[in-house]
């Protein structure tokens, strides 16, 4: 099976590498020629445009930053739609709004192209190890035809419904992550200001009703160490919350907590923390109240 892979950045490059290692024939395209060259050295072919990456391929995979770039990659004289032949399966693994995915899938269908949305969870580490969680939206028979590809890229593959459903699941999941991280940051700063040791707070909450993935993954590995290098960047979390807000508006679903959390990440971006891990939002509260939530730190309160 011949694959065109478009978007070989932090996530896409290790994913493409795993496909090459599994024996798939790949043509890759990215505006970053250095990343393309690294994959060419591993056996991929370089494509001069998305259309060229799609030409003569059974499957085209895209891993791109946002819906605007996905649209620009698909459409136009140099786009995927111009190069792909009827019957080609397009798998968009970017994180975009479900409505945008459904609109793009409708355009693909008119050209005789199949279209799946398959966003992922697991980060760069999961992409490198081939252990991503993949949430797939699209017709069951189409998903079955490319399941072997998904099994190279991920450990848990879920077919969650029609086109757009994968993006919907990803948005809901990341909405919870964003809100939970902001809540963890706020709560821990309050606890330290009360005079409690951060380690004590973490040990008790992690086995109590206040526990969450954000607490268990981010506090010991990032917050307590004072190391806020990504990880999952504030900018990306903000984008995912924006997708949730956009979808909520389209469906007339009020998202009170999501809107509040989004402002937390917007504030963090304004403070220059956009490229830091999402756990860095705790620094907003720390600066406001004059404490740090670090191993060995304790504030006696007022």
């Amino acid at each position: 099976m011949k694959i065109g892979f478009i978007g070989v950045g932090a996530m896409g490059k290790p994913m493409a590498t795993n496909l090459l290692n599994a024996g798939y024939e790949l043509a890759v395209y990215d505006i970053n020629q250095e990343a393309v060259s690294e994959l060419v050295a591993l056996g991929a072919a370089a494509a001069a445009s998305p259309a060229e990456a799609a030409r003569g391929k059974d499957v085209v995979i895209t891993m791109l930053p946002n819906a605007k770039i996905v649209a620009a990659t698909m459409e136009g004289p140099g786009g995927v739609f111009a190069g792909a032949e009827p019957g080609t399966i397009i798998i968009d693994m970017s994180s975009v709004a479900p409505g945008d995915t459904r609109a793009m899938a409708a355009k693909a269908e008119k050209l005789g192209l199949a279209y799946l949305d398959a966003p992922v969870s697991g980060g760069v580490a999961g992409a490198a190890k081939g252990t991503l969680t993949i949430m797939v939206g699209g017709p069951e028979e189409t998903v079955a035809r490319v399941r072997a590809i998904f099994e190279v890229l991920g450990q848990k593959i879920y077919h969650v419904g029609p086109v757009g459903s994968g993006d919907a699941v990803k948005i809901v999941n990341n909405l919870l992550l964003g809100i939970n991280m902001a809540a963890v940051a706020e709560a821990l700063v309050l606890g330290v200001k009360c005079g409690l040791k951060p380690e004590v707070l973490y040990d008790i909450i992690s086995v109590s009703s206040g526990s969450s993935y954000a607490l268990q993954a981010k506090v010991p590995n990032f917050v307590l160490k004072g190391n806020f290098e990504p990880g999952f960047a504030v900018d990306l979390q903000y984008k995912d919350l924006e997708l949730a807000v956009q979808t909520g508006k389209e469906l007339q679903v009020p998202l009170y907590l999501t809107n509040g959390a989004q402002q937390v990440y917007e504030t963090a971006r304004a403070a220059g923390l956009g490229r830091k891990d999402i756990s860095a939002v705790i620094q907003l509260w720390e600066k406001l109240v004059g404490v740090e939530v670090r191993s060995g730190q304790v504030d006696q309160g007022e």
Side-chain angles (χ1 to χ4, degrees), residues 61-240:
I61 298 173
T62 53
M63 177 56 97
L64 300 164
N66 56 53
K68 183 177 180 180
I69 295 175
V70 170
T73 299
M74 296 296 174
E75 301 179 286
V80 170
F81 291 166
E85 300 170 0
T88 301
I89 300 173
I90 298 171
I91 307 173
D92 181 30
M93 305 191 78
S94 319
S95 294
V96 300
D100 292 329
T101 286
R102 287 191 290 268
M104 195 58 61
K107 294 178 181 179
E109 186 177 2
K110 290 180 180 178
L111 298 170
L113 307 172
Y115 198 100
L116 302 175
D117 58 306
V120 303
S121 181
V124 175
K129 295 176 183 177
T131 58
L132 294 168
T133 295
I134 305 175
M135 299 147 270
V136 190
E140 186 172 353
E141 60 273 18
T142 306
V143 176
R145 287 170 59 192
V146 295
R147 180 167 287 274
I149 292 174
F150 289 138
E151 289 174 348
V152 171
L153 302 175
Q155 197 168 53
K156 296 181 179 179
I157 296 95
Y158 298 96
H159 179 212
V160 296
V163 170
S165 298
D167 286 320
V169 173
K170 176 69 181 289
I171 286 172
V172 170
N173 179 76
N174 282 25
L175 176 158
L176 287 169
L177 173 62
I179 292 173
N180 286 341
M181 187 65 248
V184 166
E186 187 172 270
L188 291 184
V189 168
L190 174 62
V192 171
K193 193 66 176 178
C194 287
L196 299 169
K197 293 182 177 180
E199 297 92 336
V200 171
L201 286 166
Y202 172 75
D203 288 345
I204 294 173
I205 297 170
S206 64
V207 294
S208 301
S209 57
S211 186
S212 65
Y213 170 84
L215 179 92
Q216 296 195 11
K218 299 299 184 179
V219 174
N221 297 320
F222 293 88
V223 175
L224 295 183
K225 294 178 179 179
N227 173 23
F228 299 107
E229 297 306 315
F232 183 50
V234 166
D235 282 339
L236 295 177
Q237 179 65 79
Y238 177 85
K239 184 202 79 170
D240 286 345

